[in-house]
Amino acid sequence: MAVTSTKTALGLTAGAMRSALSQGAVLALVLAGVYLLFDNTQENLALRGIESGFAFLEQEAGLPIGDSLIDYDPTRSYGYAFLVGVLNTLFVSVLAIIGATVLGVIVGVSRVSRNWLLAKVAAIYVETLRNLPLLLTLFFVYSVVIAALPHPRDAIGLIDGVYLSKRGFYLPRPQAGPGFAVFAIGTAVALMLGIVFWRWAARHKIRTGRSVPGFRGGLAIFVGLAGFAFLLGGSPVSGELPVYSGFNFKGGMVMRPEFTSLLIGLVLYTAAYIGENVRSGIQSVDAGQIEAANALGVSSAVVTRKVLLPQALRVTIPATTNDYASLVKNSSLAVAIGYPDMVSIGGTIIGQNGQAVEIIAMWMAVYLTINLVISVGMNYLNARVQHAQR
Amino acid sequence: MTDEAIVFKPTPPRPAPSARIGLLAWLRANLFGGWKDTIITLFLLGMLAAVVPRLFDWLVLDATFTGDAGSCRLNDGACWPFVVDKFNVLMMGVYPQDLAWRPAIAAVALIVLAGLTYTNRLRGFAVIAAWSVLPVFALIMIGGAFGMQDVDQSLWGGLMLSVLLALVGVIVSIPLGVILALGRFYGTPVVKSLCVAFIELLRGVPLITILFMASVMMPLFLPPEVVINNLLRIQIGLILFSAAYMAEVVRGGLQAIPPGQTEASLALGVSRTRTIAFVVVPQALRHVLPPLVGRCIALFKDTSLVIIVGLLDFLGMVKNAALDADWLGFQAEAYIFAAFVYWSICYGLSLYGRELERRGPSAHTA
């Protein structure tokens, strides 16, 4: 087939010209659409008397917030209230990611266990949680499980200072004493020295071939020095215990039912997914490799650490990145049980002043940023476990 | 010398030693393989012994099966008359009772079609055609047309609404997802970046914010004279959200098609558009049928979030029923029933997904 390429005035081929024109047309169409939407929005906002822009962030919020990591009272601004929500979202997400990872690894490993009963229990757990909406799990935990706990009067005391009741979980509040700075600095130094020793041990082994217990040694250095710093500072950390008085506990730290339900729900739900990632990772490693390593007399702990894990992670990490991102997004279900995350607080603000456009833009900006951070972090981890590209 | 053929006669294998067969050996291998296994097994058995009998007592032995709230309060167990009493509301919301036969017919049509698809009686184009017609039929039956009495959308609710939202969502979002995936895979730079931006923006935020946007902001975007009811707005939000995820699944399928297929088709003189439509896309979809079923399950579960923007779907009705003053204190029953229904539907779909995976991409040539 002969291709005729007549040059146009601009020196482009007809094909390139057509492509540029059609792309320009698409872009123009989309821009026109966006402008139309923008124009409509302006008109609608004017009709409803809603002032657009982010000036409202400075105004007094006047809304009460149940859980806050930073000092908050209703005289603070909308912007500050939203920040409280963002911190709450991050707080519950980080705790849930840790919990879901631990439980997920246990579940995944259990599913491939040779212990028949353990494997079956894990399988039933995964199949149940994965086939129910997260919101149902949340409602169940919130209004059935936690509501079944006793009134604070008859709270279940696990150990001194830790109580379970339907009003929340009470824990001692850690308090810093006068020598806390010594302890904090000591811990930081101990951590650094521990890591230095660990890395030195690894280099030493490569150089000389002699094995030094690097991780255990580093851990011992960290724990030992941090403990020493703790004593040196005069045991500067004490717990303020919750005490029952009147109709509820006073003092101490409380995990309210809303927070606890959200945390439990997110952990249980996400762990089922992470468990499956872990399982598929483990199953992706050829059984022959494990057998070969065993036949060479390598101890099973070393086989797990040096043969199974590095290869299993190649399969597990990318899938788990998605699950972490979903977990953060799913924390927005907080609004359904009344934990004040950023969606819940933002929703209240929309209800008060109608500035939906701005709040939704802020939600999107924060979630997209969090997702970006997760994917950058996990990609770094992922790059370390993938096959080296030659 | 006589030629005597030497015949090799293998000695029959000896039976396995008794320590390796039978119940005891199975127990030793699978439950008590070592001291660690033994501890785990005993621990789990202890937990099960503590939980299962009490659960069984509550669910069945001590439960009330007939009567009213008063007779339930006499027993310690579960109160199943509560679920029976609320059954209609849970299934259809506040839909007029005398017209309940209409959604029921739509439900039967759905079940029959699902059965035909599951057993692979319908193939190829017929499947697509039947599933495309079904939501139209369901909407006509439920909403009323052709002389049937109109039922306002504010009266739709319960499981019927959940299934309807998911069904329409899936059927519209798959073709939309295919278009987005094609734009991302084959599009010119401008089209490609628009598709990427749309997909990543919708996948990057929680569904709740999209539902908020659909419910609260969509009226702001539209000219003042255009009014779309809340249900349709939320359905549009669900479709756009689902399409972004479907697009990524379809992209996986597109990547699995060897370039040689396209090149061969182009070399035969088939146009680019036709090559994509009739060579690439059908194969790509066959590759990703199992994950597409996974997305359907996810969307069905996600429809439960519409409570937050004020629709009373199945979970919303369950939550409402649990707050009924006549039946106060039976939340556990309500949620367990809801879990049973959601689980059955989702698990059924996931079995179908696994079945498709087992059949493999090549088994679906009509």
Side-chain angles (χ1 to χ4, degrees):
Chain A
M1 248 198 308
V3 180
T4 50
S5 59
T6 35
K7 296 256 179 172
T8 57
L10 285 165
L12 294 164
T13 61
M17 187 73 186
R18 211 175 317 127
S19 158
L21 275 179
S22 71
Q23 290 196 52
V26 170
L27 197 61
L29 214 64
V30 170
L31 286 179
V34 169
Y35 175 76
L36 205 67
L37 289 182
F38 182 75
D39 195 50
N40 282 333
T41 311
Q42 289 295 323
E43 192 182 336
N44 282 311
L45 288 176
L47 269 178
R48 288 161 212 220
I50 297 170
E51 209 177 310
S52 62
F54 288 91
F56 76 96
L57 290 177
E58 310 269 318
Q59 291 165 16
E60 186 180 309
L63 54 95
I65 298 178
D67 290 81
S68 171
L69 294 174
I70 47 179
D71 282 333
Y72 174 84
D73 62 87
T75 57
R76 298 284 193 147
S77 68
Y78 279 123
Y80 194 82
F82 191 83
L83 178 69
V84 169
V86 173
L87 291 177
N88 280 344
T89 293
L90 287 174
F91 183 57
V92 76
S93 301
V94 169
L95 288 185
I97 282 178
I98 295 170
T101 308
V102 172
L103 185 59
V105 169
I106 294 173
V107 168
V109 171
S110 300
R111 282 209 69 179
V112 292
S113 163
R114 269 175 305 163
N115 187 321
W116 179 86
L117 188 63
L118 185 62
K120 277 286 169 285
V121 169
I124 290 171
Y125 167 77
V126 169
E127 288 300 347
T128 309
L129 267 290
R130 277 177 18 125
N131 286 310
L132 294 178
L134 172 57
L135 195 53
L136 176 61
T137 311
L138 282 182
F139 283 158
F140 190 82
V141 173
Y142 182 61
S143 45
V144 178
V145 179
I146 293 199
L149 288 172
H151 186 271
R153 188 180 343 104
D154 315 307
I156 307 168
L158 298 177
I159 50 168
D160 216 23
V162 179
Y163 302 101
L164 301 183
S165 84
K166 60 167 69 183
R167 297 264 194 85
F169 293 172
Y170 297 87
L171 305 162
R173 181 196 295 277
Q175 276 177 325
F180 187 73
V182 178
F183 174 53
I185 295 167
T187 307
V189 172
L191 184 66
M192 238 151 36
L193 286 178
I195 291 174
V196 166
F197 179 77
W198 184 19
R199 306 195 76 158
W200 172 83
R203 272 203 307 275
H204 183 74
K205 189 175 175 184
I206 290 168
R207 216 172 39 238
T208 64
R210 238 167 292 156
S211 179
V212 181
F215 182 74
R216 268 178 251 174
L219 194 68
I221 290 175
F222 170 65
V223 173
L225 282 181
F228 180 67
F230 186 74
L231 295 177
L232 201 69
S235 308
V237 180
S238 56
E240 182 203 70
L241 297 185
V243 182
Y244 184 78
S245 74
F247 294 101
N248 209 338
F249 284 94
K250 297 271 156 62
M253 203 165 57
V254 61
M255 284 164 69
R256 295 203 313 130
E258 291 76 22
F259 172 80
T260 315
S261 312
L262 183 63
L263 187 62
I264 293 176
L266 287 174
V267 166
L268 290 179
Y269 187 77
T270 316
Y273 285 85
I274 294 180
E276 287 297 272
N277 302 342
V278 171
R279 176 175 75 115
S280 66
I282 293 175
Q283 286 178 339
S284 75
V285 180
D286 190 7
Q289 295 206 11
I290 313 291
E291 286 161 13
N294 284 335
L296 286 171
V298 183
S299 78
S300 74
V302 174
V303 173
T304 306
R305 215 166 60 230
K306 304 269 176 180
V307 180
L308 181 64
L309 222 57
Q311 301 189 75
L313 285 175
R314 283 184 195 139
V315 173
T316 305
I317 289 181
T320 305
T321 308
N322 283 336
D323 290 326
Y324 285 166
S326 312
L327 184 150
V328 175
K329 286 182 271 169
N330 281 335
S331 73
S332 62
L333 266 56
V335 67
I337 51 171
Y339 173 70
D341 78 323
M342 98 173 118
V343 170
S344 169
I345 291 176
T348 314
I349 299 177
I350 294 178
Q352 287 187 359
N353 62 11
Q355 296 201 285
V357 185
E358 290 82 0
I359 292 289
I360 289 175
M362 283 161 66
W363 282 339
M364 294 192 158
V366 176
Y367 278 116
L368 291 175
T369 313
I370 295 175
N371 285 339
L372 203 67
V373 170
I374 289 178
S375 80
V376 166
M378 294 295 278
N379 281 343
Y380 171 74
L381 212 62
N382 193 30
R384 295 194 54 167
V385 300
Q386 294 302 327
H387 288 286
Q389 295 288 327
R390 276 176 245 272
Chain B
M1 239 178 114
T2 50
D3 282 334
E4 206 174 282
I6 301 168
V7 179
F8 173 66
K9 275 193 209 144
T11 322
R14 274 185 293 171
S18 59
R20 301 216 159 255
I21 50 171
L23 181 67
L24 245 109
W26 185 87
L27 283 177
R28 195 173 305 146
N30 292 304
L31 292 178
F32 303 102
W35 63 270
K36 279 185 204 158
D37 262 0
T38 308
I39 291 175
I40 292 172
T41 304
L42 291 179
F43 174 73
L44 287 175
L45 283 177
M47 294 263 287
L48 291 177
V51 173
V52 172
R54 282 168 71 179
L55 201 63
F56 186 72
D57 281 353
W58 187 80
L59 283 171
V60 182
L61 292 186
D62 296 340
T64 312
F65 291 93
T66 51
D68 55 12
S71 38
C72 281
R73 288 186 217 289
L74 298 176
N75 287 334
D76 288 337
C79 176
W80 299 123
F82 164 62
V83 175
V84 176
D85 187 67
K86 294 285 176 189
F87 190 77
N88 280 334
V89 174
L90 296 182
M91 290 300 124
M92 299 188 194
V94 289
Y95 199 86
Q97 282 302 306
D98 52 326
L99 298 175
W101 57 273
R102 281 167 31 185
I105 287 179
V108 169
L110 171 68
I111 292 166
V112 168
L113 187 51
L116 288 176
T117 312
Y118 197 91
T119 53
N120 218 11
R121 296 273 166 74
L122 278 180
R123 280 154 174 274
F125 185 70
V127 181
I128 299 172
W131 281 103
S132 311
V133 170
L134 182 69
V136 179
F137 174 71
L139 285 172
I140 291 171
M141 289 309 288
I142 295 169
F146 303 116
M148 283 188 288
Q149 191 188 329
D150 275 355
V151 179
D152 190 69
Q153 297 189 342
S154 59
L155 301 177
W156 304 6
L159 187 61
M160 173 183 96
L161 184 66
S162 301
V163 173
L164 201 64
L165 283 169
L167 197 63
V168 175
V170 165
I171 287 165
V172 182
S173 70
I174 288 181
L176 210 57
V178 170
I179 293 172
L180 282 168
L182 287 175
R184 186 168 187 170
F185 203 69
Y186 291 113
T188 55
V190 168
V191 173
K192 184 176 174 168
S193 11
L194 286 172
C195 290
V196 170
F198 178 86
I199 292 170
E200 295 305 332
L201 202 66
L202 270 90
R203 275 164 34 98
V205 298
L207 176 56
I208 289 186
T209 60
I210 291 171
L211 293 179
F212 261 119
M213 192 147 132
S215 172
V216 180
M217 259 168 87
M218 210 184 279
L220 294 178
F221 284 157
L222 298 169
E225 56 277 7
V226 179
V227 179
I228 306 182
N229 74 48
N230 198 32
L231 178 60
L232 185 56
R233 293 203 299 261
I234 287 162
Q235 179 77 72
I236 292 173
L238 276 174
I239 288 171
L240 294 181
F241 177 78
S242 170
Y245 281 84
M246 294 283 186
E248 286 299 275
V249 173
V250 175
R251 185 164 71 113
L254 292 176
Q255 282 171 352
I257 306 301
Q261 298 263 343
T262 323
E263 286 158 14
S265 173
L266 291 175
L268 286 169
V270 182
S271 78
R272 209 173 145 73
T273 318
R274 285 174 153 263
T275 299
I276 290 173
F278 299 116
V279 177
V280 179
V281 170
Q283 296 192 70
L285 286 182
R286 256 176 235 141
H287 271 288
V288 294
L289 270 178
L292 278 182
V293 173
R295 287 309 317 164
C296 298
I297 299 174
L299 183 60
F300 179 62
K301 290 197 293 176
D302 281 346
T303 56
S304 61
L305 301 191
V306 300
I307 309 173
I308 291 162
V309 281
L311 293 187
L312 284 175
D313 72 327
F314 181 49
L315 188 54
M317 281 299 168
V318 168
K319 200 165 176 259
N320 256 17
L323 296 175
D324 186 336
D326 293 342
W327 294 93
L328 224 49
F330 301 118
Q331 300 200 43
E333 287 87 341
Y335 288 123
I336 286 172
F337 177 68
F340 172 74
V341 172
Y342 273 112
W343 190 86
S344 309
I345 295 174
C346 294
Y347 190 67
L349 278 169
S350 79
L351 284 183
Y352 180 57
R354 261 178 246 176
E355 172 71 14
L356 288 177
E357 208 160 335
R358 199 181 56 75
R359 287 180 201 161
S362 57
H364 282 267
T365 27

